[in-house]
Amino acid sequence: MLKISKKDYEKILNHCREGLPNEACGLLAGTTQGDETTVTEVYLLTNLDASREHFSMDPKEQLAALKDARAKGAKIIGNFHSHPESPSRPSEEDKRLAFDPSILYLILSLQEAENPVLKAFEIDKEKNVKIQEIVVY
């Protein structure tokens, strides 16, 4: 289960809406205890591709996020990106580029502007996808 505060959910939602019509992206830091992962930091990154269909995170921003998370005693627990015009599920490219099976991959669909859908996924080395429950508190 992934726990995220309403404030952090809104931060992701606003970043993704501001990124339209392109995909937006970022990193999530936090803690894991047993099967419960809690987001403690949201890092809003630049999509260097400026594309509606894919994203590339700015490496300098990624490194800064990693350093900040470590300084706060957290670790990178996942990343997120938006799907401006498609459902909240990993595309073939998303699966292909999911290199780290130890983190969660969050996708925020903005296909229906007034009904955003955030989902979290585990993607293993064989590219099998498993949905993870999200609790917004």
Side-chain angles (χ1 to χ4, degrees), residues 29-32 40-41 43 66-76:
T31 59
T32 301
T40 57
E41 298 289 332
Y43 299 97
L66 179 61
K67 287 181 177 179
D68 184 72
R70 283 185 182 157
K72 293 176 176 172
K75 64 177 185 165
I76 300 299

Side-chain angles (χ1 to χ4, degrees), residues 17-80:
R17 283 181 170 156
E18 288 168 8
L20 290 172
N22 297 320
E23 288 191 0
C25 56
L27 291 173
L28 304 169
T31 59
T32 301
Q33 289 187 322
D35 63 353
E36 189 173 284
T37 301
T38 303
V39 174
T40 57
E41 298 289 332
V42 175
Y43 299 97
L44 308 177
L45 305 186
T46 303
N47 176 1
L48 294 177
D49 294 341
S51 167
R52 294 172 176 230
E53 298 174 356
H54 52 88
F55 70 97
S56 294
M57 294 181 185
D58 183 314
K60 290 178 185 171
E61 293 174 356
Q62 287 183 69
L63 183 58
L66 179 61
K67 287 181 177 179
D68 184 72
R70 283 185 182 157
K72 293 176 176 172
K75 64 177 185 165
I76 300 299
I77 56 162
N79 66 43
F80 71 88

